[in-house]
Coordinates of all heavy atoms in Angstrom, one line a residue:
M226 N -20.6 -22.1 -55.1 CA -20.7 -20.7 -55.7 C -21.3 -19.7 -54.7 O -22.3 -20.0 -54.1 CB -21.5 -20.8 -56.9 CG -20.7 -20.7 -58.2 SD -21.7 -20.5 -59.6 CE -21.3 -18.9 -60.2
T227 N -20.6 -18.6 -54.6 CA -21.2 -17.6 -53.7 C -21.8 -16.4 -54.6 O -21.1 -15.7 -55.2 CB -20.2 -17.0 -52.7 OG1 -19.0 -16.8 -53.5 CG2 -19.9 -17.9 -51.6
Q228 N -23.1 -16.4 -54.5 CA -23.7 -15.3 -55.3 C -24.3 -14.3 -54.3 O -24.9 -14.7 -53.3 CB -24.9 -15.9 -56.1 CG -25.0 -15.2 -57.4 CD -26.2 -15.8 -58.2 OE1 -26.9 -16.7 -57.8 NE2 -26.5 -15.2 -59.3
Q229 N -24.0 -13.1 -54.6 CA -24.5 -12.0 -53.7 C -26.0 -11.7 -53.9 O -26.4 -11.4 -55.0 CB -23.7 -10.7 -53.9 CG -22.9 -10.5 -52.6 CD -22.4 -9.0 -52.6 OE1 -22.3 -8.3 -53.6 NE2 -22.2 -8.5 -51.4
K230 N -26.7 -11.9 -52.9 CA -28.1 -11.6 -52.9 C -28.3 -10.1 -52.8 O -27.5 -9.4 -52.0 CB -28.8 -12.3 -51.8 CG -29.2 -13.7 -52.2 CD -29.9 -14.4 -51.1 CE -29.0 -15.3 -50.3 NZ -29.5 -15.8 -49.1
P231 N -29.2 -9.5 -53.5 CA -29.4 -8.1 -53.4 C -29.7 -7.6 -52.0 O -29.3 -6.5 -51.6 CB -30.6 -7.8 -54.3 CG -30.8 -9.0 -55.1 CD -30.2 -10.2 -54.3
G232 N -30.4 -8.4 -51.2 CA -30.7 -8.0 -49.9 C -29.7 -8.2 -48.8 O -29.8 -7.8 -47.7
S233 N -28.6 -8.8 -49.2 CA -27.6 -9.2 -48.2 C -26.5 -8.1 -48.0 O -25.5 -8.3 -47.2 CB -26.9 -10.5 -48.6 OG -26.2 -10.3 -49.8
K234 N -26.6 -7.0 -48.7 CA -25.6 -6.0 -48.5 C -25.7 -5.3 -47.2 O -26.7 -5.4 -46.5 CB -25.8 -4.9 -49.6 CG -25.0 -5.3 -50.9 CD -25.0 -4.1 -51.9 CE -26.0 -4.3 -53.0 NZ -26.3 -3.2 -53.8
R235 N -24.6 -4.7 -46.8 CA -24.6 -3.9 -45.5 C -25.7 -2.8 -45.6 O -25.9 -2.2 -46.6 CB -23.3 -3.3 -45.3 CG -22.6 -4.0 -44.1 CD -21.3 -3.2 -43.8 NE -20.4 -3.1 -45.0 CZ -19.4 -2.2 -45.0 NH1 -19.2 -1.4 -44.0 NH2 -18.7 -2.2 -46.1
K236 N -26.3 -2.6 -44.5 CA -27.3 -1.6 -44.5 C -26.7 -0.2 -44.7 O -25.8 0.3 -44.0 CB -28.1 -1.6 -43.2 CG -29.5 -1.4 -43.4 CD -30.3 -1.5 -42.0 CE -31.8 -1.4 -42.3 NZ -32.5 -1.5 -41.1
I237 N -27.3 0.5 -45.7 CA -26.8 1.9 -46.1 C -27.8 2.9 -45.5 O -29.0 2.7 -45.6 CB -26.8 2.0 -47.6 CG1 -25.9 1.0 -48.2 CG2 -26.3 3.5 -48.0 CD1 -26.0 0.8 -49.7
P238 N -27.2 3.8 -44.7 CA -28.2 4.8 -44.2 C -28.9 5.6 -45.3 O -28.2 6.1 -46.2 CB -27.3 5.8 -43.4 CG -25.9 5.4 -43.7 CD -25.9 4.1 -44.4
M239 N -30.2 5.7 -45.2 CA -30.9 6.4 -46.3 C -31.5 7.7 -45.7 O -32.0 7.7 -44.6 CB -32.1 5.4 -46.8 CG -31.6 4.1 -47.3 SD -30.9 4.2 -48.9 CE -32.3 4.1 -50.0
R240 N -31.5 8.6 -46.6 CA -32.1 9.9 -46.2 C -33.0 10.4 -47.3 O -32.9 10.0 -48.5 CB -31.1 11.0 -46.0 CG -30.2 10.7 -44.7 CD -31.0 10.8 -43.5 NE -30.2 10.7 -42.3 CZ -30.0 9.5 -41.7 NH1 -30.4 8.4 -42.3 NH2 -29.2 9.4 -40.6
K241 N -34.0 11.2 -47.0 CA -34.9 11.7 -48.0 C -34.5 13.0 -48.6 O -34.1 13.9 -47.9 CB -36.3 11.9 -47.3 CG -37.4 11.9 -48.3 CD -38.7 11.9 -47.5 CE -39.8 12.7 -48.1 NZ -41.0 12.8 -47.3
C242 N -34.5 13.1 -49.9 CA -34.2 14.3 -50.6 C -35.3 15.3 -50.5 O -36.5 14.9 -50.6 CB -33.9 14.0 -52.1 SG -33.9 15.5 -53.1
C243 N -35.0 16.5 -50.1 CA -36.0 17.6 -50.0 C -36.6 18.0 -51.3 O -37.6 18.6 -51.3 CB -35.4 18.8 -49.3 SG -35.1 18.5 -47.5
G244 N -35.9 17.7 -52.4 CA -36.4 18.1 -53.7 C -37.4 17.2 -54.2 O -38.6 17.5 -54.5
C245 N -37.0 15.9 -54.4 CA -37.9 15.0 -55.1 C -38.6 14.1 -54.1 O -39.5 13.3 -54.5 CB -37.1 14.2 -56.1 SG -35.7 13.3 -55.4
G246 N -38.1 14.1 -52.9 CA -38.8 13.3 -51.8 C -38.4 11.8 -51.9 O -39.0 11.0 -51.2
E247 N -37.4 11.5 -52.7 CA -36.9 10.1 -52.8 C -35.9 9.7 -51.7 O -35.1 10.6 -51.3 CB -36.3 9.8 -54.2 CG -37.4 9.4 -55.1 CD -36.8 9.0 -56.4 OE1 -36.0 8.0 -56.4 OE2 -37.1 9.6 -57.5
M248 N -36.0 8.5 -51.3 CA -35.0 8.0 -50.3 C -33.7 7.7 -51.1 O -33.8 6.9 -52.0 CB -35.5 6.8 -49.6 CG -36.7 7.1 -48.7 SD -36.4 8.2 -47.3 CE -35.5 7.2 -46.2
M249 N -32.6 8.2 -50.6 CA -31.3 7.9 -51.3 C -30.3 7.6 -50.2 O -30.4 8.0 -49.1 CB -30.9 9.2 -52.0 CG -31.8 9.8 -53.0 SD -31.5 9.1 -54.6 CE -30.0 10.0 -55.0
P250 N -29.2 6.9 -50.6 CA -28.1 6.7 -49.7 C -27.6 8.0 -49.2 O -27.4 8.9 -50.1 CB -27.1 5.9 -50.5 CG -27.9 5.3 -51.6 CD -29.0 6.2 -51.9
K251 N -27.3 8.1 -48.0 CA -26.8 9.4 -47.4 C -25.6 9.9 -48.1 O -25.5 11.1 -48.3 CB -26.4 9.1 -45.9 CG -26.6 10.2 -45.0 CD -26.3 9.7 -43.6 CE -25.8 10.9 -42.8 NZ -25.3 10.4 -41.4
K252 N -24.8 9.0 -48.6 CA -23.6 9.4 -49.3 C -23.8 10.1 -50.6 O -23.0 10.9 -51.1 CB -22.7 8.2 -49.6 CG -21.8 7.8 -48.5 CD -20.8 6.7 -48.9 CE -19.8 6.4 -47.9 NZ -19.0 5.2 -48.3
E253 N -25.0 9.8 -51.2 CA -25.3 10.4 -52.5 C -26.0 11.7 -52.4 O -26.4 12.3 -53.4 CB -26.3 9.4 -53.2 CG -25.7 8.0 -53.4 CD -24.6 8.0 -54.4 OE1 -24.7 8.7 -55.5 OE2 -23.6 7.4 -54.1
L254 N -26.2 12.2 -51.1 CA -26.9 13.4 -51.0 C -26.0 14.5 -50.4 O -25.0 14.3 -49.8 CB -28.0 13.2 -50.0 CG -29.1 12.2 -50.4 CD1 -29.9 11.7 -49.2 CD2 -30.0 12.8 -51.4
L255 N -26.4 15.7 -50.7 CA -25.8 16.9 -50.1 C -26.5 17.2 -48.8 O -27.7 17.1 -48.7 CB -25.8 18.1 -51.0 CG -25.0 18.0 -52.3 CD1 -25.3 19.2 -53.2 CD2 -23.5 18.0 -52.0
R256 N -25.7 17.5 -47.8 CA -26.3 17.8 -46.5 C -26.1 19.2 -46.1 O -25.0 19.8 -46.1 CB -25.6 16.9 -45.5 CG -26.1 17.0 -44.1 CD -25.5 15.9 -43.2 NE -26.1 15.9 -41.9 CZ -25.4 16.1 -40.7 NH1 -24.1 16.4 -40.7 NH2 -26.1 16.1 -39.6
V257 N -27.3 19.8 -45.8 CA -27.3 21.2 -45.3 C -27.7 21.1 -43.9 O -28.7 20.5 -43.5 CB -28.3 22.1 -46.1 CG1 -28.2 23.5 -45.6 CG2 -28.0 22.0 -47.6
I258 N -26.9 21.8 -43.0 CA -27.3 21.7 -41.6 C -27.4 23.1 -41.0 O -26.9 24.1 -41.4 CB -26.2 20.9 -40.8 CG1 -24.8 21.5 -40.9 CG2 -26.2 19.4 -41.2 CD1 -24.0 21.2 -39.7
R259 N -28.2 23.0 -39.9 CA -28.3 24.2 -39.1 C -27.5 23.9 -37.8 O -27.8 22.9 -37.1 CB -29.8 24.4 -38.7 CG -30.0 25.7 -38.0 CD -31.4 25.9 -37.6 NE -31.7 25.4 -36.3 CZ -33.0 25.3 -35.8 NH1 -34.0 25.6 -36.5 NH2 -33.2 24.8 -34.6
T260 N -26.5 24.7 -37.6 CA -25.6 24.4 -36.5 C -26.3 24.9 -35.2 O -27.3 25.6 -35.2 CB -24.3 25.2 -36.6 OG1 -24.6 26.6 -36.5 CG2 -23.6 24.9 -37.9
P261 N -25.8 24.5 -34.0 CA -26.4 24.9 -32.8 C -26.3 26.4 -32.7 O -27.1 27.0 -31.9 CB -25.5 24.3 -31.7 CG -24.9 23.1 -32.4 CD -24.7 23.4 -33.8
E262 N -25.5 27.1 -33.5 CA -25.4 28.6 -33.5 C -26.4 29.2 -34.4 O -26.4 30.4 -34.7 CB -24.0 29.1 -33.8 CG -23.0 28.8 -32.7 CD -22.5 27.3 -32.8 OE1 -22.4 26.8 -33.9 OE2 -22.3 26.8 -31.7
N263 N -27.3 28.3 -35.0 CA -28.3 28.8 -36.0 C -27.7 29.2 -37.3 O -28.2 30.0 -38.0 CB -29.2 29.8 -35.4 CG -30.3 29.2 -34.7 OD1 -30.7 28.1 -34.9 ND2 -30.9 30.0 -33.8
E264 N -26.5 28.7 -37.6 CA -25.9 29.0 -38.9 C -26.3 27.9 -39.9 O -26.4 26.7 -39.5 CB -24.4 29.1 -38.8 CG -23.9 30.4 -38.4 CD -22.4 30.5 -38.5 OE1 -21.8 29.6 -37.8 OE2 -21.8 31.2 -39.3
I265 N -26.4 28.3 -41.1 CA -26.7 27.3 -42.2 C -25.5 27.0 -42.9 O -24.9 28.0 -43.5 CB -27.9 27.8 -43.1 CG1 -29.1 28.1 -42.3 CG2 -28.1 26.8 -44.2 CD1 -29.7 26.8 -41.6
V266 N -25.0 25.8 -42.9 CA -23.8 25.5 -43.7 C -24.0 24.2 -44.5 O -24.8 23.4 -44.1 CB -22.6 25.3 -42.7 CG1 -22.1 26.7 -42.2 CG2 -22.9 24.3 -41.6
L267 N -23.2 24.1 -45.5 CA -23.2 23.0 -46.3 C -22.2 22.0 -45.7 O -21.0 22.3 -45.5 CB -22.7 23.4 -47.7 CG -22.8 22.3 -48.8 CD1 -24.2 21.8 -49.0 CD2 -22.4 23.0 -50.1
D268 N -22.7 20.9 -45.3 CA -21.8 19.9 -44.6 C -21.3 18.9 -45.5 O -22.0 17.9 -45.9 CB -22.6 19.3 -43.4 CG -21.7 18.2 -42.7 OD1 -20.5 18.3 -42.8 OD2 -22.3 17.4 -42.0
L269 N -20.0 19.0 -46.0 CA -19.5 18.1 -47.0 C -18.9 16.9 -46.3 O -18.7 15.9 -47.0 CB -18.4 18.8 -47.8 CG -18.9 20.0 -48.6 CD1 -17.7 20.7 -49.3 CD2 -19.9 19.6 -49.6
T270 N -18.6 16.9 -45.0 CA -18.1 15.8 -44.4 C -19.1 14.8 -43.8 O -18.9 13.7 -43.6 CB -17.2 16.2 -43.2 OG1 -18.0 16.9 -42.2 CG2 -16.1 17.2 -43.6
G271 N -20.3 15.4 -43.6 CA -21.4 14.6 -43.1 C -21.2 14.3 -41.6 O -21.9 13.5 -41.0
K272 N -20.3 15.0 -41.0 CA -20.0 14.7 -39.6 C -20.3 15.8 -38.7 O -20.1 15.7 -37.5 CB -18.5 14.4 -39.5 CG -18.2 13.0 -40.0 CD -16.7 12.7 -40.1 CE -16.4 11.4 -40.8 NZ -15.1 11.3 -41.3
K273 N -20.7 16.9 -39.2 CA -21.0 18.1 -38.4 C -22.3 17.9 -37.6 O -23.2 17.2 -38.1 CB -21.1 19.4 -39.2 CG -19.8 19.9 -39.7 CD -19.9 21.1 -40.4 CE -18.6 21.5 -41.1 NZ -18.8 22.5 -42.1
N274 N -22.3 18.5 -36.5 CA -23.5 18.4 -35.6 C -24.5 19.4 -36.0 O -24.2 20.5 -36.4 CB -23.1 18.6 -34.2 CG -22.6 17.4 -33.5 OD1 -23.0 16.3 -33.8 ND2 -21.6 17.6 -32.7
G275 N -25.7 19.0 -36.0 CA -26.8 20.0 -36.3 C -27.9 19.3 -36.9 O -27.9 18.1 -37.2
R276 N -29.0 20.1 -37.1 CA -30.1 19.5 -37.8 C -29.9 19.6 -39.3 O -29.5 20.6 -39.8 CB -31.3 20.4 -37.4 CG -32.6 19.9 -37.9 CD -33.7 20.9 -37.5 NE -34.9 20.4 -38.0 CZ -36.1 20.5 -37.4 NH1 -36.1 20.9 -36.1 NH2 -37.2 20.0 -37.9
G277 N -30.2 18.5 -39.9 CA -29.8 18.4 -41.3 C -31.0 18.2 -42.3 O -32.0 17.7 -41.9
A278 N -30.8 18.7 -43.5 CA -31.7 18.5 -44.6 C -30.9 18.0 -45.7 O -29.7 18.4 -45.9 CB -32.4 19.8 -44.9
Y279 N -31.5 17.2 -46.5 CA -30.7 16.5 -47.6 C -31.3 16.8 -49.0 O -32.5 17.0 -49.1 CB -30.7 15.0 -47.4 CG -30.0 14.6 -46.1 CD1 -30.7 14.6 -44.9 CD2 -28.7 14.3 -46.1 CE1 -30.1 14.3 -43.7 CE2 -28.1 13.9 -44.9 CZ -28.8 14.0 -43.7 OH -28.2 13.6 -42.5
L280 N -30.3 16.8 -49.9 CA -30.7 17.1 -51.3 C -29.9 16.2 -52.2 O -28.7 16.0 -52.0 CB -30.4 18.5 -51.7 CG -31.4 19.6 -51.6 CD1 -30.8 20.9 -52.2 CD2 -32.7 19.2 -52.4
C281 N -30.5 15.7 -53.2 CA -29.8 14.9 -54.3 C -28.8 15.8 -54.9 O -29.0 17.0 -55.0 CB -30.7 14.5 -55.4 SG -32.1 13.5 -55.2
K282 N -27.8 15.2 -55.5 CA -26.8 16.0 -56.2 C -27.4 16.2 -57.6 O -26.8 15.8 -58.6 CB -25.5 15.2 -56.3 CG -24.8 15.2 -55.0 CD -23.7 14.3 -54.9 CE -23.1 14.2 -53.5 NZ -22.0 13.2 -53.4
S283 N -28.5 16.9 -57.6 CA -29.1 17.2 -58.9 C -29.6 18.6 -58.9 O -30.2 19.1 -57.9 CB -30.3 16.2 -59.1 OG -31.5 17.0 -59.3
T284 N -29.3 19.3 -60.0 CA -29.7 20.7 -60.1 C -31.2 20.9 -60.0 O -31.7 21.8 -59.4 CB -29.2 21.3 -61.4 OG1 -27.8 20.8 -61.6 CG2 -29.1 22.8 -61.4
Q285 N -31.9 19.9 -60.6 CA -33.4 20.0 -60.5 C -33.9 20.0 -59.1 O -34.7 20.8 -58.8 CB -33.9 18.8 -61.3 CG -34.1 19.0 -62.7 CD -35.0 18.0 -63.3 OE1 -34.9 16.8 -62.9 NE2 -35.9 18.3 -64.3
C286 N -33.4 19.1 -58.3 CA -33.8 19.1 -56.9 C -33.4 20.3 -56.2 O -34.2 20.8 -55.4 CB -33.3 17.8 -56.2 SG -34.1 16.3 -56.8
F287 N -32.2 20.8 -56.5 CA -31.8 22.0 -55.8 C -32.7 23.2 -56.1 O -33.2 23.9 -55.3 CB -30.4 22.3 -56.3 CG -29.9 23.7 -56.0 CD1 -29.6 24.1 -54.6 CD2 -29.8 24.7 -57.0 CE1 -29.2 25.4 -54.3 CE2 -29.4 26.0 -56.7 CZ -29.1 26.3 -55.4
L288 N -33.0 23.4 -57.4 CA -33.9 24.5 -57.8 C -35.3 24.3 -57.2 O -35.9 25.3 -56.8 CB -33.9 24.5 -59.4 CG -32.6 25.0 -60.1 CD1 -32.8 24.8 -61.6 CD2 -32.2 26.4 -59.7
K289 N -35.7 23.1 -57.2 CA -37.1 22.8 -56.7 C -37.1 23.2 -55.2 O -38.0 23.9 -54.7 CB -37.4 21.4 -56.9 CG -38.8 21.1 -56.8 CD -39.1 19.6 -57.1 CE -40.5 19.2 -56.6 NZ -40.7 17.7 -56.9
A290 N -36.1 22.8 -54.5 CA -36.0 23.0 -53.1 C -35.9 24.5 -52.8 O -36.4 25.0 -51.8 CB -34.8 22.3 -52.5
K291 N -35.1 25.2 -53.6 CA -34.9 26.6 -53.5 C -36.2 27.4 -53.7 O -36.6 28.2 -52.9 CB -33.9 27.1 -54.4 CG -33.4 28.6 -54.2 CD -32.4 29.0 -55.2 CE -32.1 30.5 -55.0 NZ -31.1 31.0 -56.0
K292 N -36.9 27.0 -54.7 CA -38.1 27.6 -55.1 C -39.2 27.4 -54.1 O -40.0 28.3 -53.7 CB -38.6 27.1 -56.5 CG -39.4 28.1 -57.3 CD -39.8 27.5 -58.6 CE -41.0 28.2 -59.2 NZ -41.5 27.5 -60.3
S293 N -39.3 26.2 -53.6 CA -40.4 25.9 -52.7 C -40.0 26.1 -51.2 O -40.8 25.9 -50.3 CB -40.9 24.4 -52.9 OG -39.8 23.6 -52.6
K294 N -38.8 26.6 -51.0 CA -38.3 26.9 -49.7 C -38.4 25.7 -48.7 O -38.6 25.8 -47.5 CB -39.0 28.1 -49.1 CG -38.8 29.4 -49.9 CD -39.3 30.5 -49.1 CE -39.3 31.8 -49.8 NZ -38.0 32.3 -50.2
V295 N -38.2 24.5 -49.3 CA -38.4 23.3 -48.5 C -37.3 23.2 -47.5 O -37.5 22.7 -46.4 CB -38.5 22.1 -49.4 CG1 -37.3 21.7 -50.1 CG2 -39.1 20.9 -48.6
L296 N -36.1 23.7 -47.8 CA -35.0 23.6 -46.8 C -35.3 24.6 -45.6 O -35.0 24.2 -44.5 CB -33.7 24.1 -47.5 CG -33.1 23.1 -48.5 CD1 -31.9 23.7 -49.2 CD2 -32.8 21.7 -47.9
E297 N -35.8 25.7 -45.9 CA -36.2 26.7 -44.9 C -37.2 26.0 -43.9 O -37.1 26.1 -42.7 CB -36.9 27.9 -45.5 CG -35.9 29.0 -45.8 CD -35.6 29.1 -47.2 OE1 -35.7 28.1 -47.9 OE2 -35.2 30.2 -47.7
R298 N -38.1 25.4 -44.5 CA -39.2 24.7 -43.7 C -38.6 23.6 -42.9 O -38.9 23.4 -41.7 CB -40.3 24.2 -44.6 CG -41.5 25.3 -44.6 CD -42.6 24.7 -45.4 NE -42.3 24.8 -46.8 CZ -42.9 24.0 -47.8 NH1 -43.8 23.2 -47.4 NH2 -42.6 24.1 -49.0
S299 N -37.8 22.8 -43.6 CA -37.2 21.7 -42.9 C -36.3 22.1 -41.7 O -36.3 21.4 -40.7 CB -36.5 20.8 -43.9 OG -35.8 19.8 -43.3
L300 N -35.5 23.1 -41.9 CA -34.6 23.6 -40.9 C -35.1 24.6 -40.0 O -34.5 25.0 -39.0 CB -33.3 24.0 -41.6 CG -32.5 23.0 -42.4 CD1 -31.4 23.6 -43.2 CD2 -32.0 21.9 -41.5
E301 N -36.3 25.1 -40.4 CA -37.0 26.1 -39.6 C -36.2 27.4 -39.4 O -36.1 28.0 -38.3 CB -37.4 25.5 -38.2 CG -38.5 24.5 -38.4 CD -38.7 23.7 -37.1 OE1 -37.9 23.8 -36.2 OE2 -39.7 22.9 -37.1
V302 N -35.5 27.8 -40.5 CA -34.7 29.0 -40.4 C -34.5 29.5 -41.8 O -34.6 28.8 -42.8 CB -33.3 28.7 -39.7 CG1 -32.4 27.9 -40.6 CG2 -32.7 30.0 -39.3
A303 N -34.4 30.8 -42.0 CA -34.2 31.4 -43.3 C -32.8 31.0 -43.8 O -31.8 31.0 -43.1 CB -34.3 32.9 -43.2
I304 N -32.8 30.7 -45.1 CA -31.5 30.3 -45.7 C -30.9 31.5 -46.5 O -31.6 31.9 -47.5 CB -31.6 29.0 -46.5 CG1 -32.1 27.9 -45.5 CG2 -30.4 28.7 -47.2 CD1 -32.1 26.6 -46.0
P305 N -29.8 32.0 -46.2 CA -29.2 33.1 -47.0 C -28.8 32.7 -48.4 O -28.5 31.5 -48.6 CB -28.0 33.5 -46.2 CG -27.7 32.4 -45.2 CD -28.9 31.6 -45.1
D306 N -28.9 33.6 -49.3 CA -28.5 33.4 -50.7 C -27.1 32.8 -50.8 O -26.8 32.0 -51.7 CB -28.6 34.6 -51.5 CG -30.0 34.9 -52.0 OD1 -30.8 34.0 -51.8 OD2 -30.2 36.0 -52.4
S307 N -26.2 33.2 -49.9 CA -24.8 32.7 -50.0 C -24.8 31.2 -49.8 O -24.0 30.5 -50.4 CB -24.0 33.3 -48.9 OG -24.5 33.1 -47.6
V308 N -25.7 30.6 -49.0 CA -25.8 29.2 -48.8 C -26.2 28.5 -50.1 O -25.7 27.5 -50.5 CB -26.6 28.8 -47.6 CG1 -26.9 27.3 -47.5 CG2 -26.0 29.3 -46.3
Y309 N -27.2 29.1 -50.7 CA -27.7 28.6 -52.0 C -26.6 28.7 -53.0 O -26.5 27.7 -53.9 CB -28.9 29.3 -52.4 CG -30.2 28.9 -51.8 CD1 -31.0 29.8 -51.1 CD2 -30.6 27.6 -51.8 CE1 -32.2 29.4 -50.4 CE2 -31.8 27.2 -51.2 CZ -32.6 28.1 -50.5 OH -33.7 27.7 -49.9
S310 N -25.8 29.7 -53.0 CA -24.7 29.8 -54.0 C -23.7 28.8 -53.8 O -23.3 28.1 -54.7 CB -24.0 31.2 -53.9 OG -24.9 32.2 -53.7
S311 N -23.3 28.5 -52.5 CA -22.3 27.5 -52.3 C -22.9 26.1 -52.6 O -22.2 25.2 -53.1 CB -21.7 27.6 -50.9 OG -22.7 27.6 -49.9
L312 N -24.2 26.0 -52.4 CA -24.8 24.7 -52.7 C -24.7 24.5 -54.2 O -24.4 23.4 -54.7 CB -26.3 24.7 -52.3 CG -26.7 23.9 -51.1 CD1 -28.1 24.2 -50.8 CD2 -26.5 22.4 -51.3
S313 N -25.1 25.5 -55.0 CA -25.1 25.3 -56.4 C -23.7 25.1 -57.0 O -23.4 24.4 -57.9 CB -25.8 26.4 -57.1 OG -25.0 27.5 -57.4
E314 N -22.7 25.8 -56.3 CA -21.3 25.6 -56.7 C -20.9 24.2 -56.4 O -20.2 23.6 -57.3 CB -20.4 26.5 -55.9 CG -20.1 27.9 -56.6 CD -19.4 28.8 -55.6 OE1 -18.5 28.4 -54.8 OE2 -19.8 30.0 -55.6
Q315 N -21.3 23.7 -55.3 CA -20.9 22.3 -54.9 C -21.5 21.3 -55.9 O -20.9 20.4 -56.3 CB -21.4 22.1 -53.5 CG -20.9 20.7 -52.9 CD -19.4 20.6 -52.9 OE1 -18.7 21.6 -52.8 NE2 -18.9 19.4 -53.2
L316 N -22.7 21.6 -56.2 CA -23.5 20.8 -57.2 C -22.7 20.7 -58.5 O -22.6 19.6 -59.1 CB -24.8 21.3 -57.4 CG -26.0 20.7 -56.6 CD1 -27.2 21.5 -56.8 CD2 -26.2 19.3 -57.0
E317 N -22.3 21.9 -59.0 CA -21.5 21.9 -60.2 C -20.3 21.1 -60.1 O -20.0 20.3 -61.1 CB -21.1 23.4 -60.6 CG -22.2 24.0 -61.4 CD -21.9 25.5 -61.6 OE1 -20.7 25.9 -61.8 OE2 -22.9 26.3 -61.4
Q318 N -19.6 21.2 -59.0 CA -18.4 20.4 -58.8 C -18.7 18.9 -58.8 O -18.0 18.1 -59.5 CB -17.7 20.8 -57.5 CG -16.8 22.0 -57.6 CD -16.1 22.3 -56.3 OE1 -15.8 21.4 -55.5 NE2 -15.9 23.6 -56.0
E319 N -19.7 18.6 -58.1 CA -20.1 17.2 -58.0 C -20.4 16.5 -59.3 O -20.1 15.4 -59.6 CB -21.2 17.0 -57.0 CG -20.9 17.4 -55.6 CD -20.3 16.3 -54.8 OE1 -20.2 15.1 -55.3 OE2 -19.9 16.5 -53.6
T320 N -21.2 17.3 -60.1 CA -21.6 16.8 -61.4 C -20.4 16.7 -62.3 O -20.4 15.9 -63.2 CB -22.8 17.6 -61.9 OG1 -22.6 19.0 -61.6 CG2 -24.1 17.1 -61.4
A321 N -19.5 17.7 -62.2 CA -18.3 17.7 -63.1 C -17.4 16.5 -62.8 O -16.7 16.0 -63.6 CB -17.6 19.0 -62.9
E322 N -17.4 16.1 -61.5 CA -16.5 15.1 -61.1 C -16.9 13.7 -61.6 O -16.1 12.8 -61.8 CB -16.4 15.0 -59.6 CG -15.3 15.8 -59.0 CD -15.5 15.9 -57.5 OE1 -16.0 15.0 -56.8 OE2 -15.1 17.0 -56.9
K323 N -18.2 13.6 -61.9 CA -18.7 12.3 -62.4 C -18.0 11.9 -63.7 O -18.0 12.8 -64.7 CB -20.2 12.4 -62.5 CG -20.9 11.7 -61.4 CD -22.4 11.8 -61.6 CE -23.1 11.7 -60.2 NZ -24.5 12.0 -60.3
T324 N -17.6 10.7 -63.8 CA -17.0 10.3 -65.1 C -18.0 9.5 -65.9 O -18.7 8.7 -65.4 CB -15.7 9.5 -64.8 OG1 -16.0 8.6 -63.7 CG2 -14.6 10.4 -64.5
Ligands
ZN685 ZN1 -33.9 14.7 -55.2

């Protein structure tokens, strides 16, 4: 009998959520990056280059991060409202997709 041990899974890259501070699989998080051009963008592919900050797909964490400006601090740059808007839009989509 082959029983899967909990520790025998492939290693999943973990990142820390800026909102709640919990370590989560990278795939479960939204990634906001600062590009080499100093632009702040929401990276949905996870493949863009730049310095990244991560957030759970949770409105609570988003609001917390927005309020405490933790993304700003993490990326060391001001984050325009438009980025927060697209983040919250994305969050709505992500949560709506869940079945
Ligand atoms: Zn979180």
Side-chain angles (χ1 to χ4, degrees):
M226 253 188 115
T227 42
Q228 215 181 357
Q229 245 200 336
K230 275 180 260 169
S233 65
K234 272 190 258 168
R235 251 187 304 164
K236 219 176 186 180
I237 303 164
M239 303 284 274
R240 292 294 183 273
K241 197 171 148 186
C242 165
C243 286
C245 58
E247 273 189 57
M248 296 296 285
M249 303 268 287
K251 211 175 151 188
K252 273 188 177 175
E253 302 291 314
L254 297 163
L255 290 174
R256 183 173 186 239
V257 183
I258 59 154
R259 188 179 91 186
T260 67
E262 291 78 37
N263 273 337
E264 270 187 304
I265 300 298
V266 288
L267 187 56
D268 177 20
L269 298 175
T270 62
K272 284 173 189 160
K273 285 183 188 162
N274 279 323
R276 184 180 177 140
Y279 297 84
L280 265 186
C281 302
K282 291 170 183 174
S283 123
T284 317
Q285 270 194 325
C286 285
F287 165 72
L288 291 174
K289 198 175 165 185
K291 189 179 175 184
K292 208 177 157 192
S293 61
K294 296 189 189 296
V295 69
L296 291 176
E297 268 101 336
R298 262 183 287 159
S299 173
L300 298 172
E301 295 168 348
V302 71
I304 297 185
D306 275 348
S307 60
V308 171
Y309 280 123
S310 315
S311 50
L312 252 174
S313 90
E314 266 170 42
Q315 187 58 34
L316 264 171
E317 267 171 47
Q318 276 183 32
E319 295 276 353
T320 35
E322 269 168 31
K323 261 183 203 166
T324 42

